[in-house]
């Protein structure tokens, strides 16, 4: 009988050991959502990807809103977006949290018109059609740009199109203006002769975020991988700011952009890490409240509830 008990103890201990030697899910695979010329291109150029301690599975999205839908559903663990997608995700009570913030030059966040357009001021947009990706940072900029000119979204027609479709609509004159961000802004300027009617200066807060799914943050293994990922994003952004020509060449090679397009976007200045603090949260809350007042969002969003600052001490 004692031999049987001893054997059972050995089996139980062996099974327990298996449980603690590795996570229940095995090696961590970090699922990252990316956009054209985004995190993968940046980390690769900065030399910070080859020795990443976990396998990364990349998924590419055309803009922030579908990326955050995937994060909320657990299809990806983390991904980079502009200032507006987290607000729309929060309004939908998505299972996400902003875990990292950066601030960029908003000159490349532009409202574009054809070079020969009769439109000269934002007020001239009244009654016109604007292409924009719904819930994107450009959507937020349109709202704030119109408000600064005494207009609302009721005064224009918003054509909700992802960048690739919007580019076609813009070049074929099916819309009067296009609200978008770099590198699409630089591409439209250099390849389609687009003219900047106005840009984000004085309107957009310029924030970008790395946003993680709650499921990933609740997993110790995934959470550690997300922390390492955002630490490297911070290092890569600082590298890109001090190696602009090198970054432009790498960005072009990674995305298929013309070098001239990449260089024009890079020279406007990239994103640099900022602490995800009360000032960032307050600025995002102001933007969320503007969407609520406009009627674009059905109710008030408490942005703070969709922020997780656990990694801030690691990002200096």
């Amino acid at each position: 009988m004692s031999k049987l008990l001893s054997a059972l103890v050995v089996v139980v201990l062996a099974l327990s050991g298996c449980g603690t030697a590795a996570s229940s899910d095995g090696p961590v695979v970090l699922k990252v959502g990316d956009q054209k010329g985004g995190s993968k291109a940046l980390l690769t150029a900065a030399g910070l990807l080859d020795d990443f301690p976990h396998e990364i599975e990349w998924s590419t999205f055309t803009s922030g809103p579908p990326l955050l839908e995937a994060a909320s559903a657990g299809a990806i663990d983390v991904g980079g977006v502009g200032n507006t997608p987290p607000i729309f995700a929060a309004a939908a009570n998505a299972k996400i949290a902003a875990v990292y913030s950066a601030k960029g030059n908003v000159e490349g966040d532009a409202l574009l018109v054809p070079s020969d357009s009769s439109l000269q001021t934002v007020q001239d947009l009244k009654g016109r059609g604007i292409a924009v990706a719904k819930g994107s940072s450009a959507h937020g900029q349109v709202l704030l740009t119109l408000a600064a000119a005494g207009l609302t979204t009721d005064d224009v027609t918003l054509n909700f199109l992802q960048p690739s479709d919007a580019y076609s609509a813009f070049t074929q004159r099916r819309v009067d203006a296009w609200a978008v961000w770099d590198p699409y802004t630089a591409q439209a300027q250099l390849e389609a002769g687009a003219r900047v009617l106005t840009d984000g200066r004085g309107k957009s807060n310029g924030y970008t975020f790395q946003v993680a799914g709650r499921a990933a943050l609740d997993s110790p293994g995934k959470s550690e991988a997300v922390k390492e990922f955002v630490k490297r994003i911070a290092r890569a952004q600082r590298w890109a700011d001090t190696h602009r020509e090198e970054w432009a060449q790498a960005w072009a090679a990674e995305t298929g952009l013309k070098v001239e397009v990449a260089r024009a976007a890079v020279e406007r200045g990239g994103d640099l890490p900022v602490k995800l603090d009360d000032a960032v949260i307050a600025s995002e809350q102001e933007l969320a409240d503007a969407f609520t007042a406009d009627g674009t969002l059905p109710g008030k969003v408490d942005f703070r509830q969709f922020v997780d600052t656990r990694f801030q001490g690691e990002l200096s």
Side-chain angles (χ1 to χ4, degrees):
M1 190 71 172
S2 60
K3 290 182 179 180
L4 179 58
L5 286 173
S6 297
L8 287 172
V9 168
V10 169
V11 170
V12 169
L13 288 174
L15 289 172
S16 299
C18 289
T20 56
S23 71
S24 59
D25 298 324
V28 172
V29 176
L30 186 67
K31 298 179 179 180
V32 180
D34 203 11
Q35 296 186 54
K36 182 180 182 181
S39 299
K40 184 178 182 181
L42 181 64
L43 290 168
T44 300
L48 295 171
L49 203 54
D50 288 344
D51 65 342
F52 193 77
H54 306 284
E55 180 184 346
I56 296 181
E57 182 179 294
W58 296 94
S59 298
T60 304
F61 297 83
T62 55
S63 64
L67 186 155
L68 292 188
E69 288 178 15
S72 180
I76 62 170
D77 301 315
V78 65
V81 297
N83 62 357
T84 303
I87 291 171
F88 275 69
N93 203 30
K95 298 174 182 177
I96 55 95
V99 296
Y100 170 89
S101 56
K103 186 176 178 66
N105 188 317
V106 296
E107 189 179 342
D109 299 332
L111 198 57
L112 304 172
V113 295
S115 58
D116 60 352
S117 171
S118 62
L119 304 179
Q120 299 297 323
T121 69
V122 175
Q123 286 85 354
D124 294 337
L125 288 168
K126 188 170 184 177
R128 304 300 186 102
I130 305 171
V132 63
K134 186 174 184 179
S136 67
S137 59
H139 191 179
Q141 187 188 334
V142 167
L143 186 69
L144 297 176
T145 297
L146 292 174
L151 302 175
T152 72
T153 52
D154 290 334
D155 294 312
V156 299
T157 298
L158 296 184
N159 295 268
F160 292 125
L161 299 169
Q162 292 298 321
S164 58
D165 294 327
Y167 186 83
S168 297
F170 180 78
T171 55
Q172 295 169 17
R173 304 297 182 96
R174 290 187 280 113
V175 293
D176 300 294
W178 181 23
V180 75
W181 55 92
D182 269 330
Y184 300 106
T185 297
Q187 184 177 29
Q189 286 178 292
L190 293 176
E191 297 180 5
R195 172 167 56 87
V196 176
L197 185 68
T198 186
D199 60 34
R201 287 175 289 187
K203 309 174 193 75
S204 175
N205 61 24
Y207 290 125
T208 58
F209 298 93
Q210 291 291 326
V211 179
R214 291 287 186 185
L217 293 174
D218 289 342
S219 163
K222 292 274 191 178
S223 180
E224 281 297 309
V226 170
K227 179 175 74 174
E228 180 63 24
F229 182 78
V230 297
K231 284 170 64 176
R232 292 184 183 226
I233 288 290
R235 289 169 58 193
Q237 288 176 336
R238 294 188 183 104
W239 172 88
D241 188 53
T242 56
H243 298 77
R244 293 190 178 187
E245 179 60 25
E246 192 175 343
W247 167 224
Q249 294 284 346
W251 198 14
E254 177 75 18
T255 61
L257 291 169
K258 292 180 179 178
V259 174
E260 294 79 9
V261 170
R263 186 179 292 120
V266 167
E267 283 305 316
R268 280 196 262 261
D271 298 332
L272 287 172
V274 295
K275 189 174 182 180
L276 184 50
D277 59 11
D278 288 345
V280 174
I281 294 170
S283 182
E284 286 294 289
Q285 187 63 55
E286 288 180 12
L287 182 56
D289 291 345
F291 273 109
T292 297
D294 185 67
T296 307
L297 294 180
K300 184 174 176 62
V301 171
D302 185 357
F303 188 76
R304 187 178 295 274
Q305 298 302 312
F306 295 85
V307 172
D308 189 318
T309 61
R310 72 177 72 179
F311 304 133
Q312 293 308 295
E314 308 283 341
L315 299 174
S316 59

